Amino acid sequence: MTLNQRIQAARGQEAVDLLLTGGRVINVYSGEIVSTSIGISGGYIAGLGDYPAGRTIDLGGRFVAPGFIDAHVHIESAMTRVTEFVRAVLPRGTTAVVADPHEIANVLGKEGIDYMLRSAEHQPMNLYFGLPSCVPATHMETSGAVLDAEALEPFMAHERIVALGEMMNFPGVIYEDAGVLRKIRMARAVGKPVDGHAPGLTGRDLNAYIAAGITSDHECATATEAMEKLAAGMHIMIREGTGAKNLKDLLPVVNQRTWRRMMWCTDDRHPHDLLQLGHIDSMVREAICSGLDPVIAIRMATLNPAEYFGLRDIGAIAPGKRADMVVFSDLNDLKIGQVYCGGVLVAENGVMRPEIGKPASAAVSSAMNLRPDQLDFSIPAEGRQVRVIDIIAGQLITDERIMEAAISNGLAVSDPDRDMLKIAVVERYTGRAGTGRAFVRGFGLKHGALASSVAHDSHNIIVVGVDDESMKAAASRVIQMGGGLVAARGSRIAASLALPIAGLMSDEPVLSVEARLNRLIQVARAFGSVLADPFMALSFLALPVIPRLKITDRGLINVDRFEPVSLFVSMALSPADTA
């Protein structure tokens, strides 16, 4: 529509395309619920109230809210191509996302960003992006690409790029790394926000991080942390993903004084959670069930992220806004009945309308430059005590534990009786197969191994297991598939999911991906795993920007000190150990 046509439709001089009558509209500006009609013309809202219309639909007293917005998500974590991700979340009421494609950017660099931008075209929902700021996330790992400010600058003017993505390299900010600061200046120069990622940062270091121009954070794990960042001027994104679940702990921070600077995000959700639990709708529903005012919960899913990212066309049901709306019957038990995007009914009762097409995605590399015969997971014993990564269930942060090594024939090995398993990260880009080896506690495996090419953020191959044979079998199959997830016991492959798109995403329908992932988790539990989603937990053990102890292809990393540390603590061995 032209500007003149919008004005004429709003004045009722021309009939609107569609009039929705009998609805109870949630006005996110005033906080009121108003019984009124909604006039829609050319995909935009002409106005509220009665209009002459070409077509009229009676909503029968149901509620109407703006479509939901995910303020921070990695589409790659759904392990499906963009089209299938859209078909998973749009029926749940998410009509817009701000995605950070730094997973695929760490694998393929600019080619990965281009791929995601092309894949966003012609989709039946709004796809915006934060420009990946940390490729690689740190200097303590090997990634598939390096993107400096000069490489990123051409993307900054793209209409779908609405922010500089999460600045994970917080030491680079506070210690004034020139390359990091150039990226921040680049975003600020064009008036786009800089998203943060600073778990546990506090005091003067937090002040310095915010003073650099970083305006949001989605890594808060406690109410105290969220309140400190909020009081210092940050917008807080409350996260509820598959691996990191922070909603329950942060909900007490949301009140009449604070909600205006808070919003919801999923960050990383696996397909089974998207399909079974939902997306932003599940967070709004849980918040309401926990006692949060329903209108505030909805405003945090709509108005707040739209205004934070400068998305002027969405986030409210008001004249001039895109007609992105959700319709539901019960405000206190929010279940999405219908979803409109651009004035088109795109989904109903949790299912996409059959006439909504599936835009194709372009082909892209898997970036797997590694051979199975290069794999070696043996750890020569160099001491009696080792540092062990200690998993904290439901969190991305880990702890560090010192444990006695299990030594056999001069090698440090897994000890499943103590839940002390071998873990390794194998670099997949240069052909050199550099390998970091260590131990982890918290998986609970009694048999077999799990391997994955999804290993945040550089996405090398990560594998955990009870014995080297199982670990080699699992990692070898990942290589042969061009990326994916595998569970193996001995030489036998028990379950697998191929991810040929950059080693991160499948080209299969989302329901097929969910079924394969469910089978993998079922097998992992049969092996003894005690984690709700062991593959999600595994994928974050390679991320050296979240405390406390992580592993990369270069070995163990102490994130608190932002430096490598040795696996062995005590260097003394007795003759019996080496026998």
Side-chain angles (χ1 to χ4, degrees):
M1 294 180 73
T2 66
L3 181 58
N4 297 77
Q5 288 172 324
R6 287 196 194 184
I7 294 171
Q8 291 162 14
R11 296 189 69 198
Q13 293 174 315
E14 299 288 341
V16 297
D17 300 330
L18 173 65
L19 186 69
L20 300 178
T21 64
R24 288 185 280 178
V25 177
I26 296 173
N27 189 313
V28 295
Y29 292 125
S30 68
E32 300 173 294
I33 300 176
V34 183
S35 294
T36 188
S37 300
I38 306 169
I40 300 167
S41 197
Y44 286 79
I45 295 169
L48 302 182
D50 290 329
Y51 280 88
R55 187 164 60 104
T56 300
I57 296 176
D58 185 359
L59 297 180
R62 287 178 291 168
F63 294 94
V64 190
F68 299 153
I69 304 169
D70 191 334
H72 176 76
V73 63
H74 302 289
I75 292 174
E76 302 96 315
S77 290
M79 292 186 283
T80 63
R81 60 193 180 99
V82 172
T83 290
E84 291 297 321
F85 171 81
V86 168
R87 300 185 84 80
V89 304
L90 186 51
R92 307 305 292 257
T94 301
T95 57
V97 300
V98 179
D100 186 338
H102 78 210
E103 316 298 353
I104 197 168
N106 269 281
V107 176
L108 298 173
K110 292 191 290 184
E111 180 189 359
I113 300 173
D114 280 328
Y115 170 80
M116 297 300 278
L117 289 170
R118 290 197 309 272
S119 297
E121 295 175 1
H122 310 300
Q123 296 289 350
M125 65 177 282
N126 306 297
L127 293 154
Y128 304 100
F129 296 93
L131 193 58
S133 66
C134 297
V135 179
T138 74
H139 62 281
M140 296 176 292
E141 57 194 318
T142 305
S143 69
V146 175
L147 296 179
D148 57 16
E150 288 72 23
L152 293 174
E153 189 170 15
F155 292 101
M156 191 53 79
H158 196 287
E159 63 182 359
R160 293 190 187 272
I161 301 292
V162 297
L164 184 66
E166 55 182 316
M167 180 51 72
M168 295 179 290
N169 188 1
F170 58 85
V173 176
I174 64 178
Y175 294 119
E176 305 171 50
D177 178 273
V180 169
L181 298 188
R182 274 197 297 273
K183 294 174 184 177
I184 295 173
R185 290 192 190 100
M186 177 182 67
R188 287 168 62 91
V190 294
K192 295 184 179 181
V194 181
D195 282 343
H197 170 118
L201 201 63
T202 187
R204 290 183 176 178
D205 285 346
L206 175 61
N207 291 342
Y209 188 70
I210 296 172
I214 296 167
T215 50
S216 73
D217 187 84
H218 62 272
E219 290 290 339
C220 295
T222 68
T224 300
E225 179 182 1
M227 278 304 302
E228 181 182 6
K229 290 174 176 176
L230 187 73
M234 281 187 146
H235 296 257
I236 302 301
M237 299 175 181
I238 296 179
R239 171 179 58 191
E240 189 77 358
T242 294
K245 301 180 184 298
N246 307 123
L247 188 148
K248 182 179 178 181
D249 291 326
L250 299 188
L251 205 53
V253 178
V254 184
N255 55 49
Q256 289 289 346
R257 298 185 303 276
T258 62
W259 71 266
R260 198 63 179 87
R261 296 178 69 83
M262 305 186 78
M263 57 198 98
W264 311 113
C265 78
T266 60
D267 200 3
D268 299 279
R269 277 203 183 190
H270 272 176
H272 58 279
D273 279 349
L274 291 176
L275 294 174
Q276 301 304 320
L277 299 179
H279 196 227
I280 296 299
D281 65 307
S282 69
M283 299 186 69
V284 173
R285 184 166 50 251
E286 183 176 348
I288 293 170
C289 290
S290 298
L292 185 63
D293 179 87
V295 175
I296 288 179
I298 289 169
R299 289 161 119 178
M300 289 171 58
T302 56
L303 178 66
N304 287 4
E307 292 193 343
Y308 172 73
F309 288 108
L311 303 174
R312 297 182 181 88
D313 287 348
I314 64 174
I317 297 176
K321 301 293 184 183
R322 258 180 66 100
D324 297 345
M325 301 170 293
V326 294
V327 180
F328 51 94
S329 299
D330 190 338
L331 191 60
N332 294 301
D333 184 20
L334 189 144
K335 296 177 181 175
I336 304 300
Q338 294 173 313
V339 182
Y340 288 85
C341 203
V344 176
L345 180 61
V346 293
E348 199 163 16
N349 299 321
V351 179
M352 292 287 290
R353 298 278 296 177
E355 67 270 21
I356 305 300
K358 282 189 174 185
S361 295
V364 73
S365 166
S366 69
M368 189 65 66
N369 188 18
L370 178 66
R371 303 187 315 274
D373 62 16
Q374 293 176 288
L375 299 173
D376 179 8
F377 300 122
S378 61
I379 303 176
E382 298 177 0
R384 297 184 62 84
Q385 292 183 321
V386 290
R387 291 183 172 87
V388 178
I389 301 169
D390 204 359
I391 293 174
I392 300 173
Q395 300 293 336
L396 302 186
I397 58 175
T398 60
D399 208 344
E400 176 180 323
R401 181 180 293 231
I402 305 300
M403 297 182 68
E404 289 291 319
I407 300 174
S408 176
N409 298 321
L411 300 175
V413 297
S414 295
D415 187 351
D417 290 339
R418 291 187 290 156
D419 190 18
M420 181 179 171
L421 303 178
K422 190 180 291 186
I423 186 169
V425 175
V426 187
E427 181 266 311
R428 66 165 163 129
Y429 300 108
T430 68
R432 294 190 291 269
T435 304
R437 305 169 183 85
F439 293 93
V440 63
R441 184 178 180 276
F443 277 97
L445 295 180
K446 301 298 183 184
H447 314 283
L450 312 176
S452 173
S453 57
V454 179
H456 301 280
D457 275 335
S458 291
H459 300 292
N460 291 300
I461 294 176
I462 189 166
V463 56
V464 61
V466 171
D467 62 273
D468 285 12
E469 182 184 14
S470 298
M471 292 174 71
K472 288 181 180 178
S476 294
R477 178 57 62 92
V478 170
I479 295 168
Q480 292 160 359
M481 294 190 304
L485 313 181
V486 175
R489 184 172 181 179
S491 60
R492 185 179 71 87
I493 304 301
S496 64
L497 166 61
L499 302 175
I501 301 173
L504 299 174
M505 295 179 282
S506 170
D507 53 8
E508 295 185 15
V510 65
L511 288 171
S512 298
V513 176
E514 179 200 24
R516 290 181 181 276
L517 181 59
N518 285 340
R519 173 59 182 162
L520 279 158
I521 293 173
Q522 181 183 37
V523 169
R525 287 175 181 159
F527 287 175
S529 175
V530 296
L531 297 173
D533 190 333
F535 285 94
M536 180 64 84
L538 181 63
S539 72
F540 279 101
L541 295 181
L543 182 55
V545 293
I546 294 184
R548 179 182 183 197
L549 190 65
K550 295 294 193 291
I551 180 173
T552 75
D553 60 296
R554 302 183 187 181
L556 281 175
I557 307 296
N558 183 300
V559 181
D560 295 334
R561 301 203 302 264
F562 218 60
E563 64 182 20
V565 292
S566 62
L567 170 60
F568 290 92
V569 178
S570 170
M571 303 305 292
L573 285 173
S574 68
D577 292 325
T578 57

